Amino acid sequence: MTLCLAQDTDADALLDRDPLALLIGMLLDQQFPMERAFAGPALVAHRLGVDRLDARELADHDPDALVALFTGQPAVHRYPRSMAQRVQALAATIVERYDGDVTAIWSDAATGKELFTRLAGLPGFGTQKAQIFTALLGKQRGVTPQGWREAAGGYGEDGVHRSVADVVDADSLGRVRDYKQAAKAAKKAAAG
């Protein structure tokens, strides 16, 4: 299955071939339109002049230069400085824990719980983001260790449109947006 998260052919092609770009897209998916967040890694790669992102290169990059890269027009994210710092911290963690190989996070995870725990332990990833990425790996990347759906919580359910894990085209993106708007309205109504 070819990814269709950025809703842009070139950006989605990068996400499809580069697991680090996909993980960074998930990191950037915060207080920012989903498709722009997942287009961010392609913008970073373009500005670095590479066709794949490298955890070591990002971890070792001059922090001020990385912030400048994230700030350029257009900005990679609504909060370019903090997101550049988070991407660099994520890259450094991948280098330290997984010898720079992002796929090692999930390639040998024996269970969905182990996969979720590894993801939740990454900088910038809390419970919800780790659940969503677990679901994304299971639903669209074939990473299905035993119990992955349970570890992903409601995001792992089949036939739902709750998150980026369920986006496969423009129509499903619209359904995810509708779900999120309805959930936000329900939460606001409950708060009274």
Side-chain angles (χ1 to χ4, degrees):
M1 172 183 299
T2 302
L3 293 173
C4 191
L5 307 177
Q7 305 289 303
D8 173 89
T9 304
D10 292 337
D12 282 325
L14 176 65
L15 298 173
D16 204 46
R17 72 176 178 270
D18 183 352
L20 179 57
L22 183 60
L23 188 68
I24 290 172
M26 188 72 232
L27 177 69
L28 296 174
D29 188 17
Q30 178 178 326
Q31 298 179 332
F32 200 55
M34 183 206 79
E35 64 274 22
R36 289 200 49 211
F38 281 91
L43 193 52
V44 171
H46 175 74
R47 289 178 181 168
L48 289 172
V50 298
D51 65 356
R52 271 183 99 87
L53 297 174
D54 181 270
R56 289 183 198 289
E57 181 181 336
L58 288 169
D60 293 341
H61 207 83
D62 175 80
D64 292 333
L66 192 60
V67 168
L69 184 142
F70 269 65
T71 304
Q73 292 297 329
V76 172
H77 193 275
R78 179 179 176 187
Y79 302 107
R81 175 175 296 283
S82 65
M83 286 303 177
Q85 292 167 343
R86 286 185 183 180
V87 165
Q88 193 157 44
L90 176 65
T93 300
I94 292 167
V95 170
E96 291 167 16
R97 292 185 195 163
Y98 302 100
D99 197 30
D101 179 8
V102 68
T103 63
I105 297 169
W106 53 82
S107 63
D108 66 349
T111 65
K113 184 177 180 180
E114 182 180 358
L115 171 58
F116 165 79
T117 300
R118 288 178 181 185
L119 290 168
L122 296 173
F125 278 71
T127 298
Q128 186 177 29
K129 196 172 287 280
Q131 286 179 322
I132 292 169
F133 201 74
T134 298
L136 176 60
L137 289 171
K139 291 179 175 184
Q140 297 196 43
R141 300 284 84 186
V143 177
T144 57
Q146 181 181 7
W148 72 270
R149 286 189 187 274
E150 294 77 10
Y155 302 106
E157 293 176 17
D158 205 15
V160 298
H161 290 90
R162 292 188 176 139
S163 73
V164 66
D166 305 306
V167 174
V168 294
D169 55 23
D171 179 59
S172 56
L173 173 61
R175 289 180 180 192
V176 168
R177 280 210 175 101
D178 292 345
Y179 171 81
K180 288 182 176 186
Q181 287 175 348
K184 187 183 277 188
K187 185 176 180 180
K188 187 176 181 180

